[in-house]
Amino acid sequence: EEEVMGTSGTKIGMDSSGTLTVQELQCAGKLKIGKIDGTFNTSDNINIGNAQSGIGAQNVCIGYQAGEDLDATSTVNVLIGYQAGMNITGFNGTGNVCIGGSAGNAVTSQNNVCIGNGSDSTTNQAVVIGQNVAATGAYGIAIGNTISSAADTITVGRASAGNYWSMDFTSSTTWAHSS
């Protein structure tokens, strides 16, 4: 491993594979990631953090273990936060947005949006926003705290207080209140 000292004493190293290791990076202007001219290939990923797979195409993974299990067929995912989308894998793990600590850890399907600490989906094309919120059926939408939404259902509120609203939009056009 070759070591070079920066002007302020920062240690920089490069191994035989071309991997560059920088102890600390401070940037007062633009930071370009990709080719020398700042451009990317259409299949490039952006990985910032540690313990990420770094494979797949067009994925953005920021945070420790964010996107850890992505494979070569996992594409266009945005995973931001500690362990965000950690278990997403395969072609079914495509087009997901997971933002928050452990957001989207159960996601193994496509086109989910999970925002919030512990927000998750065990299905496809669901939207979950809040802490420990989940969708357990396709096209479910859950917003609140510690609630879940079944297929084709919108659920809003917090289960711990027993107060939430839900609507099954395949059979009902009115909201039902639970308390």
Side-chain angles (χ1 to χ4, degrees):
E1 181 174 306
E2 181 182 336
E3 292 184 6
V4 178
M5 296 300 284
T7 57
S8 65
T10 301
K11 184 178 174 182
I12 300 172
M14 184 178 294
D15 65 19
S16 61
S17 71
T19 299
L20 182 66
T21 304
V22 179
Q23 220 173 25
E24 181 179 329
L25 178 64
Q26 296 180 4
C27 182
K30 293 181 182 178
L31 174 62
K32 293 183 178 182
I33 300 173
K35 297 179 192 173
I36 293 173
D37 63 1
T39 62
F40 288 86
N41 292 324
T42 58
S43 62
D44 285 345
N45 294 308
I46 296 174
N47 295 296
I48 300 173
N50 193 6
Q52 298 151 333
S53 77
I55 56 178
Q58 303 164 339
N59 296 299
V60 176
C61 302
I62 301 174
Y64 178 73
Q65 293 180 328
E68 181 180 56
D69 290 342
L70 293 178
D71 66 19
T73 60
S74 304
T75 59
V76 296
N77 293 289
V78 176
L79 312 170
I80 301 173
Y82 172 80
Q83 296 182 338
M86 186 171 96
N87 298 313
I88 294 175
T89 186
F91 173 75
N92 285 332
T94 297
N96 296 291
V97 176
C98 304
I99 301 173
S102 300
N105 278 351
V107 170
T108 57
S109 55
Q110 300 177 346
N111 305 315
N112 293 285
V113 176
C114 301
I115 300 174
N117 183 43
S119 61
D120 226 330
S121 173
T122 58
T123 185
N124 60 13
Q125 301 188 31
V127 176
V128 293
I129 301 172
Q131 181 177 0
N132 297 320
V133 175
T136 58
Y139 310 103
I141 300 170
I143 301 171
N145 183 288
T146 318
I147 59 170
S148 64
S149 183
D152 298 310
T153 302
I154 299 172
T155 305
V156 179
R158 60 185 179 132
S160 61
N163 293 317
Y164 57 91
W165 292 85
S166 65
M167 178 176 68
D168 179 341
F169 49 90
T170 60
S171 63
S172 172
T173 56
T174 59
W175 289 89
H177 177 259
S178 298
S179 60

